[in-house]
Amino acid sequence: MLIQRATLLDGTKTDIRVGVRVEELGPELEPRPGETVFDAQGGTVLPGLHDHHVHLRSAASAMDSVMLGPPRIRTKEQLAQELSRARPNVDGWIRAIGYHESVAGDLDRTALDAMVPGAAVRVQHRSGALWILNSAALHRLGMAEHPDGRLRASDRWSEALQRHHNDLTELSRRLSALGITGVTDATPDLDADDMVSLLVAHRHGEFRPQLSFLAPGKKILHDDRLDLDSLIGWIADQHADGRPVAVHCVTAAQLVVTIAALRAAGSHPLDRIEHAAVVDDDNLTDLAELGVTVVTQPNFVAERGDQYLAEIPAAEHATLWRVASLRKAKVRVALSTDMPFGRGDPWAAMRAAVDRTTPSGAVLGVDECVSAPEALTMFLGYADRPGRARSVDVGQPGDLCVLAAPPATVLAELDAGLVAATIIGGIVAHPAD
């Protein structure tokens, strides 16, 4: 196809011929016979956005799930009321997401049975690392004797829930409307069948964005199970097989242990730290020296910042969801949304990286603010090299985002509403017509 009257982010005005890759750039290119022509009308054309850490099946499931956490649900009474109104989906499950113990403490099967005695209920903690099931749900999984219904996502039982195959078409439509042309699925323990099923959905057009996976080189750490020797061995084995690692670090302890393990096992140039939700000053130099890429989510400042301000000591606020300090330390940084545990809008994540504003309007970590061009660039990385931004150049992938405004407006607003078209492999994925 041919995109006419485009403006690149640096202000260059050009036409763009694009197929699987960008084929030609130049002023006033002539349409070829039968070629689709899109008039950008002076709007900005970018490489398509890549969300570097998502969970696709969970995100598809979340579209028909009940939200049970802050800020919408804050009390046990609200929780019980919301569950009592919920109705099972066509497969007989009531699915709920976003739960946090600040609402009603550590939920278990007994508490859920009291709220919903009949239907099968599964409640996912907002961290994604825990499900709580009632007795009816446990019975459906053949686990009626489970003591409390609190099931870790890292345990093998979880395959029964994670293999729920939702229709990905609507999720694909929503992502394409945001200008997203690629995602990296960070779901732990995806096996070959899981990845093949997603790739088949992509090949058949059910899911349009390009797909990458962190499995099998991803590991989730838990503070009560930290084992330095085991982590060193796992990293060494992955590297010996030629695979980089991606280690999930949401606490200071997890990051310290991961840094020690990478120093002992040796690093790979494509190793990643996922989240880095808490980074002490002492660890900034360590991360730079190791050469890892940090994939982080400042959108959680905008989504959960008030809770952080209320529950985390003030002395630790500066360590949360850092971006500017990592970049200043010469650490490679990319952004993602952690959809569905984050809202899934990369433009909102960019705004959060720029202004660090919580839902109440407070600013959390003012020293971690970055500029709008920096925030945007951190969603333009290659799938396997998230910290290296793509560009609109001949030979680059034909995955583009067309915005209905010039660069100055795009950078001032960082608004998904400006997305006029999303092109994947030279084919228009959004709008559908």
Side-chain angles (χ1 to χ4, degrees):
M1 66 177 295
L2 178 65
I3 304 172
Q4 296 180 324
R5 296 198 295 166
T7 305
L8 304 185
L9 197 58
D10 64 4
T12 300
K13 298 183 183 301
T14 186
D15 292 353
I16 305 168
R17 176 163 282 116
V18 58
V20 174
R21 296 196 172 270
V22 176
E23 298 176 3
E24 189 176 4
L25 296 175
E28 300 181 359
L29 298 179
E30 288 296 323
R32 294 171 178 168
E35 186 172 50
T36 299
V37 177
F38 186 95
D39 185 359
Q41 300 180 18
T44 307
V45 177
L46 306 167
L49 306 184
H50 191 101
D51 198 333
H52 295 285
H53 183 117
V54 303
H55 304 272
L56 289 177
R57 293 296 185 189
S58 293
S61 179
M63 290 190 298
D64 59 3
S65 297
V66 181
M67 174 56 71
L68 287 186
R72 187 167 182 270
I73 304 296
R74 295 187 179 276
T75 68
K76 184 176 181 179
E77 291 71 26
Q78 291 175 334
L79 174 72
Q81 184 178 51
E82 193 70 17
L83 279 174
S84 68
R85 288 200 298 248
R87 294 292 176 267
N89 294 324
V90 293
D91 59 2
W93 285 88
I94 294 175
R95 293 180 178 80
I97 60 173
Y99 182 75
H100 188 264
E101 51 273 6
S102 62
V103 175
D106 292 331
L107 279 183
D108 59 16
R109 68 184 293 175
T110 301
L112 287 178
D113 286 347
M115 298 178 197
V116 188
V121 178
R122 50 178 275 195
V123 177
Q124 190 172 38
H125 191 273
R126 76 178 189 184
S127 67
L130 175 73
W131 276 284
I132 308 100
L133 278 66
N134 70 350
S135 295
L138 291 166
H139 181 77
R140 289 187 67 161
L141 294 180
M143 302 176 66
E145 303 305 315
H146 195 278
D148 58 14
R150 293 172 60 83
L151 310 176
R152 284 187 180 272
S154 58
D155 295 336
R156 298 311 303 171
W157 68 267
S158 65
E159 292 180 359
L161 295 183
Q162 295 189 57
R163 287 184 182 277
H164 175 76
H165 284 195
N166 306 81
D167 180 7
L168 294 168
T169 304
E170 175 60 18
L171 178 63
S172 175
R173 186 195 67 78
R174 294 185 188 188
L175 294 180
S176 297
L178 293 168
I180 293 172
T181 60
V183 297
T184 297
D185 194 303
T187 306
D189 301 324
L190 279 182
D191 62 20
D193 288 343
D194 296 321
M195 288 184 274
V196 167
S197 70
L198 289 168
L199 289 169
V200 168
H202 173 67
R203 190 176 304 119
H204 291 170
E206 180 185 353
F207 186 80
R208 301 291 295 279
Q210 311 286 3
L211 278 169
S212 297
F213 305 96
L214 291 186
K218 183 189 176 184
K219 180 174 281 292
I220 293 181
L221 302 183
H222 302 278
D223 280 0
D224 59 349
R225 300 183 186 180
L226 291 177
D227 183 332
L228 177 58
D229 290 338
S230 175
L231 185 58
I232 291 170
W234 177 78
I235 292 172
D237 288 344
Q238 295 293 317
H239 288 173
D241 289 338
R243 287 193 294 263
V245 298
V247 187
H248 173 288
C249 295
V250 295
T251 68
Q254 291 169 11
L255 184 60
V256 168
V257 170
T258 298
I259 288 170
L262 286 168
R263 286 201 181 281
S267 59
H268 184 289
L270 301 183
D271 284 342
R272 299 168 42 146
I273 301 292
E274 306 302 309
H275 308 304
V278 183
V279 181
D280 292 326
D281 287 343
D282 293 343
N283 298 139
L284 293 170
T285 301
D286 296 323
L287 293 169
E289 290 176 350
L290 287 167
V292 298
T293 298
V294 170
V295 178
T296 190
Q297 296 85 28
N299 49 297
F300 287 126
V301 172
E303 297 170 22
R304 306 176 184 175
D306 290 330
Q307 194 166 0
Y308 298 149
L309 291 172
E311 298 178 3
I312 296 174
E316 299 175 20
H317 290 173
T319 68
L320 300 175
W321 299 111
R322 304 181 83 165
V323 181
S325 293
L326 289 164
R327 289 173 63 87
K328 288 174 184 175
K330 307 301 182 186
V331 178
R332 291 190 292 268
V333 183
L335 300 184
S336 72
T337 66
D338 198 17
M339 174 188 71
F341 310 112
R343 280 204 294 262
D345 180 352
W347 300 96
M350 293 177 214
R351 295 194 298 273
V354 171
D355 60 38
R356 307 281 300 190
T357 303
T358 73
S360 69
V363 176
L364 175 59
V366 65
D367 291 337
E368 298 304 323
C369 296
V370 297
S371 69
E374 288 177 299
L376 176 56
T377 298
M378 285 185 278
F379 270 105
L380 302 183
Y382 291 87
D384 61 342
R385 290 165 290 165
R388 180 181 173 187
R390 291 166 290 132
S391 59
V392 181
D393 284 309
V394 173
Q396 290 288 308
D399 305 326
L400 303 173
C401 174
V402 183
L403 297 141
T409 302
V410 169
L411 293 172
E413 299 184 11
L414 296 176
D415 189 343
L418 294 175
V419 176
T422 302
I423 297 159
I424 301 175
I427 299 172
V428 177
H430 167 80
D433 57 357

